[in-house]
Amino acid sequence: MTTQIKFFTRLFVATLLLLSSCQKDDYKFGELTTPSKPVLTVTVVGQDATHPMGDGSGAVLLAVASDHAFNYKVDFGDGLPAVIATSSEFQYIYKHTGNKAFTITVIASGKAGNSSSNAADVEVYRAFEPNPELVTMLTNNSSKKWRVDKDAAGNLGVSDVAVFTPAWWAAGPNEKAGLGIYDDEYTFTASGNVFTHKTNNDLFGKKEYLTDFDPTLTGTDDYTLTGPKASDYTETFGYDGSPTEEYITFSNKGHVGMYLGVHKYQVLERTDTHMTLRCVQAPGAWYVKLIAIQ
């Protein structure tokens, strides 16, 4: 009996010691300070006075400053999932085409889930990424020359904007011979997107728009500008469009066919050696067919 009492006594003491050792540790978070309102610094890559919405890459840099923040959740405003990171610096590339405004929202989180937020607006330009087949067709991935396909029916034309064929007028083969259009050569160079227009010192177009070359001109109607003001020139070209439309653009005075003051041409048809382009200028839509000459 004495032995049993000693055994239960020892068991009781051991149980107390075990219970004592199993007490929960006293964890402390310390002061649960809410992160300060994030200060957002947004930089559009390539932004300057000439390119206020960036260099066309669609890239932005974001720096976030928030005291007591441990991580950040950033919604760049383009409908894609938010980015979550412990870093306070981000680089992001938008996927749109053209100019577009976004609202960037940042949530800064601290201890125990405490958080604060802020937002900033940004406008970003992203250049269109053309179909490689279009680039190859236009430039041969090096340099390629084109001219108006003067022997083709409808080498020039015009229609109502609502239709996509030259319904109002379509030039017959060589109809505009001797007016300073059929001898022009257009060279597209892939490196640097360089466009060279060999004019042979004459340009054909609408007189009211040829004032871009000679500001002294007055009046309207078809006109051939000759002399030094119609000399060869070189500038850049680019691409624009969507998954279903392709455009060739020019930076300054660049054009193909008649000069209409327009510098954006939709590609309606294209092969390795031929293309049909369309531009819009009052009173309608204008057409030109080109043929490769090298």
Side-chain angles (χ1 to χ4, degrees):
M1 184 68 178
T2 303
T3 302
Q4 289 179 335
I5 293 173
K6 288 181 179 180
F7 171 77
F8 284 113
T9 300
R10 289 173 181 173
L11 180 62
F12 177 73
V13 172
T15 302
L16 290 177
L17 291 174
L18 180 62
L19 291 173
S20 176
S21 65
C22 290
Q23 287 182 351
K24 293 183 179 180
D25 293 333
D26 186 14
Y27 294 107
K28 294 183 178 180
F29 283 105
E31 187 178 359
L32 300 181
T33 304
T34 299
S36 60
K37 182 177 181 179
V39 176
L40 312 185
T41 303
V42 183
T43 303
V44 180
V45 174
Q47 186 179 55
D48 56 27
T50 307
H51 308 90
M53 286 169 284
D55 58 8
S57 65
V60 297
L61 304 176
L62 170 66
V64 184
S66 175
D67 295 335
H68 311 296
F70 289 165
N71 58 61
Y72 305 90
K73 181 178 180 180
V74 183
D75 183 343
F76 284 91
D78 56 358
L80 296 179
V83 178
I84 300 175
T86 56
S87 172
S88 62
E89 295 184 353
F90 302 82
Q91 180 173 357
Y92 193 78
I93 299 177
Y94 287 100
K95 303 300 183 183
H96 68 289
T97 296
N99 300 330
K100 193 168 182 180
F102 301 94
T103 299
I104 300 175
T105 304
V106 176
I107 299 175
S109 298
K111 292 180 179 180
N114 287 346
S115 65
S116 59
S117 64
N118 199 5
D121 294 328
V122 63
E123 192 167 2
V124 185
Y125 167 67
R126 183 173 179 273
F128 175 70
E129 294 183 5
N131 185 330
E133 293 179 357
L134 172 61
V135 177
T136 299
M137 181 278 300
L138 188 63
T139 69
N140 200 30
N141 296 323
S142 177
S143 186
K144 192 170 181 178
K145 289 183 181 179
W146 299 79
R147 65 166 171 80
V148 175
D149 190 4
K150 59 187 178 65
D151 299 313
N155 55 79
L156 301 168
V158 65
S159 73
D160 183 85
V161 175
V163 300
F164 284 76
T165 58
W168 289 349
W169 166 71
N174 290 293
E175 183 175 326
K176 296 298 182 181
L179 296 178
I181 189 169
Y182 291 150
D183 62 347
D184 290 8
E185 294 181 2
Y186 315 110
T187 302
F188 294 86
T189 301
S191 179
N193 283 5
V194 177
F195 172 73
T196 299
H197 185 171
K198 182 180 179 182
T199 66
N200 292 298
N201 291 318
D202 51 30
L203 286 170
F204 177 70
K206 292 293 184 181
K207 197 173 187 180
E208 58 267 39
Y209 303 117
L210 285 167
T211 53
D212 291 344
F213 291 87
D214 183 357
T216 66
L217 292 177
T218 58
T220 60
D221 215 347
D222 293 355
Y223 185 77
T224 300
L225 177 67
T226 61
K229 292 182 179 179
S231 60
D232 301 350
Y233 63 91
T234 297
E235 60 181 54
T236 58
F237 74 95
Y239 305 93
D240 199 357
S242 70
T244 59
E245 294 181 341
E246 295 177 331
Y247 293 86
I248 300 169
T249 64
F250 299 95
S251 59
N252 190 12
K253 298 178 181 178
H255 68 283
V256 292
M258 295 178 60
Y259 187 67
L260 300 159
V262 178
H263 309 290
K264 183 175 182 177
Y265 294 78
Q266 184 177 0
V267 181
L268 297 183
E269 298 176 332
R270 60 175 170 86
T271 68
D272 288 343
T273 57
H274 293 78
M275 59 177 161
T276 301
L277 306 180
R278 176 184 191 259
C279 68
V280 176
Q281 179 62 282
W286 298 80
Y287 302 81
V288 58
K289 292 183 177 181
L290 300 184
I291 185 171
I293 54 177
Q294 75 169 34

CSV table of all heavy atoms in Angstrom, one decimal, residues 216-263:
chain,number,residue,atom,x,y,z
A,216,THR,N,3.8,78.3,-100.0
A,216,THR,CA,3.4,79.5,-100.8
A,216,THR,C,2.2,79.1,-101.8
A,216,THR,O,1.6,79.9,-102.4
A,216,THR,CB,4.5,80.0,-101.7
A,216,THR,OG1,4.9,79.0,-102.7
A,216,THR,CG2,5.7,80.4,-100.8
A,217,LEU,N,1.9,77.8,-101.9
A,217,LEU,CA,0.9,77.3,-102.8
A,217,LEU,C,-0.5,77.8,-102.3
A,217,LEU,O,-0.7,77.9,-101.1
A,217,LEU,CB,0.9,75.8,-102.9
A,217,LEU,CG,2.1,75.2,-103.6
A,217,LEU,CD1,1.9,73.6,-103.6
A,217,LEU,CD2,2.2,75.7,-105.1
A,218,THR,N,-1.4,78.1,-103.2
A,218,THR,CA,-2.8,78.4,-102.9
A,218,THR,C,-3.7,77.7,-103.9
A,218,THR,O,-3.3,77.2,-104.9
A,218,THR,CB,-3.0,79.9,-103.0
A,218,THR,OG1,-2.7,80.4,-104.4
A,218,THR,CG2,-2.2,80.7,-102.0
A,219,GLY,N,-4.9,77.6,-103.5
A,219,GLY,CA,-5.9,76.9,-104.3
A,219,GLY,C,-6.0,75.4,-104.1
A,219,GLY,O,-5.4,74.9,-103.1
A,220,THR,N,-6.8,74.8,-104.9
A,220,THR,CA,-7.1,73.3,-104.7
A,220,THR,C,-6.9,72.6,-106.0
A,220,THR,O,-6.4,73.2,-107.0
A,220,THR,CB,-8.5,73.1,-104.2
A,220,THR,OG1,-9.5,73.7,-105.1
A,220,THR,CG2,-8.7,73.8,-102.8
A,221,ASP,N,-7.4,71.4,-106.1
A,221,ASP,CA,-7.3,70.5,-107.3
A,221,ASP,C,-6.0,69.8,-107.4
A,221,ASP,O,-5.0,70.1,-106.7
A,221,ASP,CB,-7.7,71.3,-108.5
A,221,ASP,CG,-8.5,70.5,-109.5
A,221,ASP,OD1,-8.5,69.3,-109.3
A,221,ASP,OD2,-9.0,71.1,-110.5
A,222,ASP,N,-5.9,68.9,-108.4
A,222,ASP,CA,-4.7,68.1,-108.7
A,222,ASP,C,-3.6,69.1,-109.1
A,222,ASP,O,-3.8,70.1,-109.8
A,222,ASP,CB,-5.0,67.1,-109.8
A,222,ASP,CG,-6.0,66.0,-109.3
A,222,ASP,OD1,-6.4,66.0,-108.2
A,222,ASP,OD2,-6.3,65.2,-110.2
A,223,TYR,N,-2.4,68.7,-108.7
A,223,TYR,CA,-1.3,69.6,-108.9
A,223,TYR,C,0.0,68.8,-108.9
A,223,TYR,O,0.2,67.9,-108.1
A,223,TYR,CB,-1.2,70.7,-107.9
A,223,TYR,CG,-0.2,71.8,-108.1
A,223,TYR,CD1,-0.4,72.8,-109.1
A,223,TYR,CD2,1.0,71.8,-107.4
A,223,TYR,CE1,0.6,73.7,-109.3
A,223,TYR,CE2,2.0,72.8,-107.6
A,223,TYR,CZ,1.8,73.7,-108.5
A,223,TYR,OH,2.7,74.7,-108.7
A,224,THR,N,1.0,69.2,-109.8
A,224,THR,CA,2.3,68.6,-109.7
A,224,THR,C,3.3,69.7,-109.3
A,224,THR,O,3.5,70.7,-109.9
A,224,THR,CB,2.8,68.1,-111.1
A,224,THR,OG1,1.9,67.1,-111.6
A,224,THR,CG2,4.2,67.6,-111.1
A,225,LEU,N,3.9,69.5,-108.1
A,225,LEU,CA,4.9,70.4,-107.5
A,225,LEU,C,6.3,69.9,-108.1
A,225,LEU,O,6.6,68.8,-108.0
A,225,LEU,CB,4.9,70.3,-106.0
A,225,LEU,CG,5.9,71.1,-105.3
A,225,LEU,CD1,5.7,72.6,-105.5
A,225,LEU,CD2,5.9,70.8,-103.8
A,226,THR,N,7.0,70.9,-108.6
A,226,THR,CA,8.3,70.6,-109.2
A,226,THR,C,9.4,71.5,-108.5
A,226,THR,O,9.1,72.5,-107.9
A,226,THR,CB,8.3,70.8,-110.7
A,226,THR,OG1,8.0,72.2,-111.0
A,226,THR,CG2,7.3,70.0,-111.4
A,227,GLY,N,10.7,71.0,-108.7
A,227,GLY,CA,11.8,71.8,-108.3
A,227,GLY,C,12.3,71.4,-106.9
A,227,GLY,O,11.9,70.3,-106.4
A,228,PRO,N,13.2,72.2,-106.3
A,228,PRO,CA,13.8,71.8,-105.0
A,228,PRO,C,12.9,71.5,-103.9
A,228,PRO,O,13.2,70.7,-103.0
A,228,PRO,CB,14.7,73.1,-104.7
A,228,PRO,CG,14.9,73.8,-106.0
A,228,PRO,CD,13.6,73.5,-106.8
A,229,LYS,N,11.7,72.2,-103.9
A,229,LYS,CA,10.7,71.9,-102.8
A,229,LYS,C,10.1,70.5,-102.9
A,229,LYS,O,9.5,70.0,-102.0
A,229,LYS,CB,9.7,73.0,-102.7
A,229,LYS,CG,10.2,74.3,-102.3
A,229,LYS,CD,9.2,75.4,-102.2
A,229,LYS,CE,9.8,76.7,-101.8
A,229,LYS,NZ,8.8,77.8,-101.7
A,230,ALA,N,10.3,69.9,-104.1
A,230,ALA,CA,9.8,68.5,-104.3
A,230,ALA,C,10.9,67.5,-104.4
A,230,ALA,O,10.8,66.5,-105.0
A,230,ALA,CB,8.9,68.5,-105.6
A,231,SER,N,12.0,67.9,-103.7
A,231,SER,CA,13.2,67.0,-103.8
A,231,SER,C,13.1,65.7,-103.0
A,231,SER,O,12.2,65.6,-102.1
A,231,SER,CB,14.5,67.8,-103.4
A,231,SER,OG,14.4,68.2,-102.1
A,232,ASP,N,14.0,64.8,-103.2
A,232,ASP,CA,14.0,63.6,-102.4
A,232,ASP,C,14.0,63.9,-100.9
A,232,ASP,O,14.6,64.9,-100.5
A,232,ASP,CB,15.2,62.7,-102.7
A,232,ASP,CG,15.3,62.3,-104.2
A,232,ASP,OD1,14.3,62.6,-104.9
A,232,ASP,OD2,16.3,61.8,-104.6
A,233,TYR,N,13.5,63.0,-100.1
A,233,TYR,CA,13.6,63.2,-98.6
A,233,TYR,C,13.6,61.8,-98.0
A,233,TYR,O,13.2,60.8,-98.5
A,233,TYR,CB,12.4,64.0,-98.1
A,233,TYR,CG,11.0,63.3,-98.3
A,233,TYR,CD1,10.5,62.5,-97.4
A,233,TYR,CD2,10.3,63.6,-99.5
A,233,TYR,CE1,9.2,61.9,-97.6
A,233,TYR,CE2,9.1,63.0,-99.7
A,233,TYR,CZ,8.5,62.1,-98.7
A,233,TYR,OH,7.3,61.5,-98.9
A,234,THR,N,14.1,61.8,-96.7
A,234,THR,CA,14.2,60.6,-95.9
A,234,THR,C,13.6,60.9,-94.5
A,234,THR,O,13.9,61.9,-93.9
A,234,THR,CB,15.6,60.1,-95.8
A,234,THR,OG1,16.1,59.8,-97.1
A,234,THR,CG2,15.7,58.9,-94.9
A,235,GLU,N,12.8,60.0,-94.0
A,235,GLU,CA,12.3,60.1,-92.7
A,235,GLU,C,12.0,58.7,-92.1
A,235,GLU,O,12.5,57.7,-92.7
A,235,GLU,CB,11.0,60.9,-92.6
A,235,GLU,CG,9.9,60.4,-93.5
A,235,GLU,CD,8.6,61.3,-93.4
A,235,GLU,OE1,8.8,62.5,-93.7
A,235,GLU,OE2,7.5,60.7,-93.1
A,236,THR,N,11.3,58.5,-91.1
A,236,THR,CA,11.0,57.2,-90.5
A,236,THR,C,9.6,56.8,-90.8
A,236,THR,O,8.7,57.6,-91.1
A,236,THR,CB,11.2,57.2,-89.0
A,236,THR,OG1,10.3,58.2,-88.4
A,236,THR,CG2,12.6,57.5,-88.6
A,237,PHE,N,9.3,55.5,-90.8
A,237,PHE,CA,8.0,54.9,-91.0
A,237,PHE,C,7.7,54.0,-89.8
A,237,PHE,O,8.7,53.6,-89.0
A,237,PHE,CB,7.9,54.2,-92.3
A,237,PHE,CG,8.6,52.9,-92.4
A,237,PHE,CD1,7.9,51.7,-92.1
A,237,PHE,CD2,9.9,52.8,-92.7
A,237,PHE,CE1,8.5,50.5,-92.2
A,237,PHE,CE2,10.6,51.6,-92.8
A,237,PHE,CZ,9.9,50.4,-92.5
A,238,GLY,N,6.5,53.6,-89.7
A,238,GLY,CA,6.2,52.6,-88.6
A,238,GLY,C,5.0,51.8,-88.9
A,238,GLY,O,4.5,51.8,-90.1
A,239,TYR,N,4.5,51.1,-87.9
A,239,TYR,CA,3.3,50.2,-88.1
A,239,TYR,C,2.3,50.5,-87.1
A,239,TYR,O,2.6,50.9,-86.0
A,239,TYR,CB,3.8,48.7,-88.0
A,239,TYR,CG,4.9,48.3,-88.9
A,239,TYR,CD1,6.2,48.4,-88.5
A,239,TYR,CD2,4.7,47.9,-90.2
A,239,TYR,CE1,7.3,48.0,-89.3
A,239,TYR,CE2,5.7,47.5,-91.1
A,239,TYR,CZ,7.0,47.6,-90.6
A,239,TYR,OH,8.1,47.2,-91.4
A,240,ASP,N,1.0,50.2,-87.4
A,240,ASP,CA,0.0,50.4,-86.5
A,240,ASP,C,-1.1,49.4,-86.8
A,240,ASP,O,-1.1,48.8,-87.9
A,240,ASP,CB,-0.6,51.8,-86.5
A,240,ASP,CG,-1.4,52.2,-85.2
A,240,ASP,OD1,-1.5,51.3,-84.4
A,240,ASP,OD2,-1.8,53.3,-85.1
A,241,GLY,N,-2.1,49.2,-85.9
A,241,GLY,CA,-3.2,48.3,-86.3
A,241,GLY,C,-3.7,47.5,-85.1
A,241,GLY,O,-3.6,47.9,-84.0
A,242,SER,N,-4.2,46.3,-85.5
A,242,SER,CA,-4.9,45.4,-84.5
A,242,SER,C,-4.7,44.0,-85.1
A,242,SER,O,-4.1,43.9,-86.2
A,242,SER,CB,-6.3,45.8,-84.4
A,242,SER,OG,-7.0,45.5,-85.6
A,243,PRO,N,-5.2,43.0,-84.4
A,243,PRO,CA,-5.1,41.7,-84.9
A,243,PRO,C,-5.8,41.5,-86.3
A,243,PRO,O,-5.5,40.6,-87.0
A,243,PRO,CB,-5.8,40.8,-83.9
A,243,PRO,CG,-5.6,41.6,-82.6
A,243,PRO,CD,-5.7,43.0,-83.0
A,244,THR,N,-6.7,42.4,-86.7
A,244,THR,CA,-7.4,42.3,-87.9
A,244,THR,C,-7.1,43.4,-88.9
A,244,THR,O,-7.6,43.3,-90.1
A,244,THR,CB,-8.9,42.2,-87.7
A,244,THR,OG1,-9.3,43.4,-87.0
A,244,THR,CG2,-9.3,41.0,-86.9
A,245,GLU,N,-6.3,44.4,-88.6
A,245,GLU,CA,-6.0,45.5,-89.5
A,245,GLU,C,-4.5,45.8,-89.4
A,245,GLU,O,-4.0,45.8,-88.3
A,245,GLU,CB,-6.8,46.7,-89.1
A,245,GLU,CG,-8.3,46.6,-89.4
A,245,GLU,CD,-9.1,47.8,-89.0
A,245,GLU,OE1,-8.5,48.7,-88.3
A,245,GLU,OE2,-10.2,48.0,-89.5
A,246,GLU,N,-4.0,46.2,-90.6
A,246,GLU,CA,-2.6,46.5,-90.6
A,246,GLU,C,-2.4,47.9,-91.3
A,246,GLU,O,-3.1,48.2,-92.3
A,246,GLU,CB,-1.7,45.5,-91.4
A,246,GLU,CG,-1.7,44.1,-90.8
A,246,GLU,CD,-0.9,43.1,-91.7
A,246,GLU,OE1,-0.9,43.3,-92.9
A,246,GLU,OE2,-0.4,42.2,-91.1
A,247,TYR,N,-1.6,48.7,-90.7
A,247,TYR,CA,-1.3,50.1,-91.2
A,247,TYR,C,0.2,50.3,-91.3
A,247,TYR,O,1.0,49.9,-90.5
A,247,TYR,CB,-1.9,51.2,-90.4
A,247,TYR,CG,-3.5,51.1,-90.3
A,247,TYR,CD1,-4.1,50.3,-89.4
A,247,TYR,CD2,-4.2,51.9,-91.1
A,247,TYR,CE1,-5.5,50.3,-89.3
A,247,TYR,CE2,-5.6,51.9,-91.1
A,247,TYR,CZ,-6.2,51.1,-90.2
A,247,TYR,OH,-7.6,51.1,-90.1
A,248,ILE,N,0.5,51.1,-92.4
A,248,ILE,CA,1.9,51.7,-92.5
A,248,ILE,C,1.8,53.2,-92.2
A,248,ILE,O,0.9,53.8,-92.8
A,248,ILE,CB,2.5,51.4,-93.9
A,248,ILE,CG1,2.5,49.9,-94.2
A,248,ILE,CG2,3.9,52.0,-94.0
A,248,ILE,CD1,2.8,49.6,-95.6
A,249,THR,N,2.6,53.7,-91.3
A,249,THR,CA,2.5,55.1,-90.9
A,249,THR,C,3.9,55.8,-91.2
A,249,THR,O,4.9,55.1,-91.3
A,249,THR,CB,2.2,55.2,-89.4
A,249,THR,OG1,3.3,54.7,-88.7
A,249,THR,CG2,1.0,54.5,-89.0
A,250,PHE,N,3.8,57.1,-91.4
A,250,PHE,CA,5.0,57.9,-91.7
A,250,PHE,C,5.0,59.0,-90.6
A,250,PHE,O,4.0,59.5,-90.1
A,250,PHE,CB,4.9,58.5,-93.1
A,250,PHE,CG,4.9,57.4,-94.1
A,250,PHE,CD1,3.7,57.0,-94.7
A,250,PHE,CD2,6.0,56.8,-94.6
A,250,PHE,CE1,3.6,56.0,-95.7
A,250,PHE,CE2,6.0,55.9,-95.6
A,250,PHE,CZ,4.8,55.4,-96.1
A,251,SER,N,6.3,59.5,-90.4
A,251,SER,CA,6.4,60.4,-89.3
A,251,SER,C,6.2,61.9,-89.6
A,251,SER,O,5.9,62.7,-88.7
A,251,SER,CB,7.9,60.3,-88.7
A,251,SER,OG,8.8,60.6,-89.7
A,252,ASN,N,6.3,62.3,-90.9
A,252,ASN,CA,6.3,63.7,-91.2
A,252,ASN,C,5.6,64.0,-92.5
A,252,ASN,O,4.4,64.1,-92.5
A,252,ASN,CB,7.7,64.2,-91.3
A,252,ASN,CG,7.8,65.7,-91.3
A,252,ASN,OD1,6.8,66.4,-91.1
A,252,ASN,ND2,9.0,66.3,-91.6
A,253,LYS,N,6.3,63.9,-93.6
A,253,LYS,CA,5.7,64.2,-94.9
A,253,LYS,C,5.5,62.9,-95.7
A,253,LYS,O,5.0,62.9,-96.9
A,253,LYS,CB,6.5,65.2,-95.7
A,253,LYS,CG,6.6,66.6,-95.1
A,253,LYS,CD,7.5,67.5,-95.9
A,253,LYS,CE,7.6,68.8,-95.2
A,253,LYS,NZ,8.5,69.8,-96.0
A,254,GLY,N,6.0,61.8,-95.2
A,254,GLY,CA,6.0,60.5,-95.9
A,254,GLY,C,4.6,60.1,-96.4
A,254,GLY,O,3.6,60.3,-95.8
A,255,HIS,N,4.6,59.6,-97.6
A,255,HIS,CA,3.4,59.1,-98.3
A,255,HIS,C,3.8,58.2,-99.5
A,255,HIS,O,4.9,58.2,-99.9
A,255,HIS,CB,2.6,60.3,-98.8
A,255,HIS,CG,3.2,61.1,-99.9
A,255,HIS,ND1,4.3,62.0,-99.7
A,255,HIS,CD2,3.0,61.1,-101.2
A,255,HIS,CE1,4.6,62.5,-100.8
A,255,HIS,NE2,3.9,62.0,-101.8
A,256,VAL,N,2.8,57.6,-100.0
A,256,VAL,CA,2.9,56.8,-101.2
A,256,VAL,C,1.7,57.2,-102.1
A,256,VAL,O,0.6,57.5,-101.7
A,256,VAL,CB,3.0,55.3,-101.0
A,256,VAL,CG1,4.2,54.9,-100.3
A,256,VAL,CG2,1.7,54.8,-100.2
A,257,GLY,N,2.0,57.3,-103.5
A,257,GLY,CA,0.9,57.7,-104.4
A,257,GLY,C,0.7,59.2,-104.4
A,257,GLY,O,1.6,59.9,-104.2
A,258,MET,N,-0.6,59.6,-104.6
A,258,MET,CA,-0.9,61.0,-104.5
A,258,MET,C,-0.7,61.6,-103.1
A,258,MET,O,-1.0,60.9,-102.1
A,258,MET,CB,-2.4,61.2,-104.9
A,258,MET,CG,-2.7,60.8,-106.3
A,258,MET,SD,-4.5,61.1,-106.7
A,258,MET,CE,-4.7,62.8,-106.3
A,259,TYR,N,-0.2,62.8,-103.1
A,259,TYR,CA,-0.1,63.4,-101.7
A,259,TYR,C,-1.4,64.0,-101.3
A,259,TYR,O,-1.9,64.9,-102.0
A,259,TYR,CB,1.0,64.5,-101.7
A,259,TYR,CG,1.3,64.9,-100.3
A,259,TYR,CD1,1.8,64.1,-99.4
A,259,TYR,CD2,0.9,66.2,-99.9
A,259,TYR,CE1,2.1,64.5,-98.0
A,259,TYR,CE2,1.1,66.6,-98.6
A,259,TYR,CZ,1.7,65.7,-97.7
A,259,TYR,OH,1.9,66.1,-96.3
A,260,LEU,N,-1.9,63.6,-100.2
A,260,LEU,CA,-3.2,64.0,-99.7
A,260,LEU,C,-3.1,64.5,-98.3
A,260,LEU,O,-4.1,64.6,-97.6
A,260,LEU,CB,-4.2,62.8,-99.8
A,260,LEU,CG,-4.4,62.2,-101.2
A,260,LEU,CD1,-5.0,60.8,-101.1
A,260,LEU,CD2,-5.4,63.2,-101.9
A,261,GLY,N,-1.9,64.7,-97.8
A,261,GLY,CA,-1.7,65.2,-96.4
A,261,GLY,C,-1.9,64.1,-95.4
A,261,GLY,O,-2.1,64.4,-94.2
A,262,VAL,N,-2.0,62.9,-95.8
A,262,VAL,CA,-2.3,61.7,-94.9
A,262,VAL,C,-1.0,60.9,-94.8
A,262,VAL,O,-0.2,60.7,-95.7
A,262,VAL,CB,-3.4,60.9,-95.5
A,262,VAL,CG1,-3.6,59.7,-94.6
A,262,VAL,CG2,-4.7,61.7,-95.6
A,263,HIS,N,-0.8,60.4,-93.6
A,263,HIS,CA,0.5,59.7,-93.3
A,263,HIS,C,0.2,58.3,-92.6
A,263,HIS,O,1.1,57.8,-92.0
A,263,HIS,CB,1.4,60.5,-92.4
A,263,HIS,CG,1.6,61.9,-92.9
A,263,HIS,ND1,2.3,62.2,-94.1
A,263,HIS,CD2,1.1,63.1,-92.5
A,263,HIS,CE1,2.2,63.5,-94.3
A,263,HIS,NE2,1.5,64.1,-93.4
